[in-house]
Amino acid sequence: MKSYVRTPLEESSYRTALEGYRRDGGAVPTDFGPDFGRIAAQVEELKRQHDAVVLAHYYVPAATQALADHVGDSFYLARLARTLDCKTIVLAGVSFMAEAVKMLNPSRTVLNPEPRANCPMAHMVRKADVDAVRERYDDLAVVCYVNSTAQIKSWSDVCVTSSNAVKVVGELPQHNILFIPDMNLGRYVREQLPQKNVILNRGYCPTHQRIIPQEVEQLELEHPEAEVCAHPECSEEVLREADFVGSTKQIIEHIANGDGREYIVLTVVGVAAEITRLTEGQDKRVYFPATPPICPNMAMVGPEKVLRALQTGEGEVELPDCADRAAAPLERMLELAAR
């Protein structure tokens, strides 16, 4: 399998974020910079003016998370967006997340602060492959990870997130499951549900795929008492090193509520902000691989982008042409996950 090659924009974003990571000594700067106070004050005022709520994914920069009213993973934000009493939602994340929030809230204004922040995995499946599997199996459900475009969701029967994939697939009556687009999460679901025939697609998250066993093993040698916590988007080889496998939210909560003092974390470094907040005063230490797992697309969504979206209304998300068909798998996910 060929490694994903970053676009020039992604490469520039990654290099900038990596420089900041090294300069700050980790994923959570002690100081967000001289302009942050001004930006935060302006964001608060504009939220009042526009009756807006800011939602941020755990993977965006710590400073952006600090501006948000709510921080969470894809499943949490998708559920939460339905319950908000506001006219405008600002979604600090990548494009498929803002698109999903718009489909679940079609009457509201949804702003994407950085429309160029894409997700490579969200495109890693072909319609011809989905159609071929549907033709082969009568008793089939196409299960789509929410990290996907609206068009890909429209080819599917139900969506899942990393936090609810095992539960949702387990609730399905079908024996045969085509899991798209992420092969690593699909493989993890297959291992947890051996009674299902889970068919894999060859998509993957480039950031998680770049976490390699050698760097994990080096961390284990350096910190022998540390518990290894991995996201199921990691490769099969990396997951074998893990003591705990869970979604972003599950990893954060596991560390916050755990008795251990040291944790090796195998997911995007943005989670460090919430871990730091929840474990304040607990003297817990978190270690990331020597090659920091930085998502270049999430790294694009800085605080100034949130401010600009509120100032100008730029980045408004339109309903895609396939919105009704694409929203149906999202709605079914929410229904099955709530059982």
Side-chain angles (χ1 to χ4, degrees):
M1 181 179 63
K2 294 182 178 179
S3 296
Y4 174 79
V5 178
R6 298 187 187 102
T7 66
L9 177 63
E10 289 172 337
E11 186 63 28
S12 175
S13 174
Y14 176 78
R15 294 298 173 189
T16 300
L18 183 60
E19 289 173 9
Y21 182 90
R22 290 172 174 166
R23 182 184 61 246
D24 297 327
V28 188
T30 55
D31 183 353
F32 292 148
D35 293 331
F36 182 76
R38 173 186 58 81
I39 292 173
Q42 289 181 275
V43 166
E44 286 301 314
E45 177 58 29
L46 288 166
K47 284 194 302 182
R48 286 191 290 269
Q49 290 180 20
H50 298 296
D51 188 20
V53 173
V54 177
L55 307 181
H57 193 274
Y58 290 127
Y59 290 167
V60 300
T64 304
Q65 295 183 45
L67 290 180
D69 299 289
H70 304 278
V71 180
D73 62 7
S74 299
F75 182 45
Y76 172 76
L77 296 178
R79 287 189 306 173
L80 178 67
R82 299 292 296 271
T83 68
L84 296 173
D85 181 17
C86 63
K87 292 181 180 178
T88 300
I89 299 172
V90 181
L91 195 287
V94 289
S95 54
F96 77 80
M97 296 178 183
E99 189 179 56
V101 168
K102 179 63 178 180
M103 288 191 295
L104 291 172
N105 298 269
S107 65
R108 292 179 180 166
T109 298
V110 177
L111 301 179
N112 179 356
E114 179 45 276
R116 298 176 302 171
N118 209 327
C119 171
M121 181 171 63
H123 304 270
M124 289 185 183
V125 61
R126 300 181 303 180
K127 180 66 159 54
D129 293 336
V130 175
D131 290 344
V133 177
R134 281 199 185 276
E135 287 180 11
R136 182 176 178 182
Y137 296 95
D138 291 330
D139 181 33
L140 178 79
V142 178
V143 175
C144 185
Y145 193 18
V146 293
N147 296 35
S148 55
T149 65
Q151 183 181 50
I152 290 172
K153 289 181 176 73
S154 75
W155 306 339
S156 309
D157 299 303
V158 64
C159 285
V160 297
T161 71
S162 54
S163 61
N164 67 25
V166 173
K167 175 175 176 52
V168 170
V169 173
E171 293 282 349
L172 294 173
Q174 291 87 351
H175 172 65
N176 299 301
I177 306 295
L178 172 60
F179 197 98
I180 60 175
D182 182 24
M183 63 179 178
N184 290 320
L185 179 58
R187 184 183 297 107
Y188 178 73
V189 170
R190 182 166 66 185
E191 291 173 354
Q192 302 304 306
L193 298 171
Q195 69 272 27
K196 300 282 190 179
N197 176 36
V198 179
I199 304 155
L200 303 180
N201 173 71
R202 291 185 65 78
Y204 59 93
C205 166
T207 301
H208 285 93
Q209 193 72 15
R210 285 190 173 96
I211 300 173
I212 58 175
Q214 294 90 327
E215 291 193 355
V216 178
E217 291 164 1
Q218 183 60 39
L219 281 170
E220 290 177 297
L221 289 173
E222 294 170 358
H223 309 284
E225 300 302 317
E227 184 176 355
V228 180
C229 301
H231 194 284
E233 286 181 24
C234 292
S235 70
E236 184 176 16
E237 294 77 16
V238 167
L239 291 183
R240 289 198 196 107
E241 299 292 326
D243 301 301
F244 176 82
V245 177
S247 70
T248 309
K249 183 175 187 293
Q250 289 166 343
I251 289 173
I252 291 169
E253 291 181 343
H254 181 77
I255 294 172
N257 299 324
D259 295 328
R261 293 293 182 184
E262 294 185 308
Y263 297 88
I264 294 167
V265 177
L266 308 179
T267 189
V268 178
V269 298
V271 301
E274 187 70 358
I275 292 171
T276 299
R277 187 183 73 82
L278 292 176
T279 61
E280 184 177 2
Q282 296 183 27
D283 192 31
K284 291 183 177 179
R285 299 189 178 185
V286 169
Y287 308 103
F288 291 96
T291 305
I294 295 172
C295 172
N297 288 283
M298 292 287 193
M300 294 180 198
V301 192
E304 70 286 349
K305 304 274 180 74
V306 174
L307 173 59
R308 182 170 177 79
L310 285 166
Q311 287 174 326
T312 66
E314 293 178 3
E316 182 170 356
V317 180
E318 301 293 336
L319 274 175
D321 294 338
C322 59
D324 288 345
R325 181 67 190 93
L330 287 169
E331 297 283 4
R332 192 168 187 213
M333 173 186 74
L334 297 176
E335 172 197 343
L336 293 176
R339 288 184 180 176

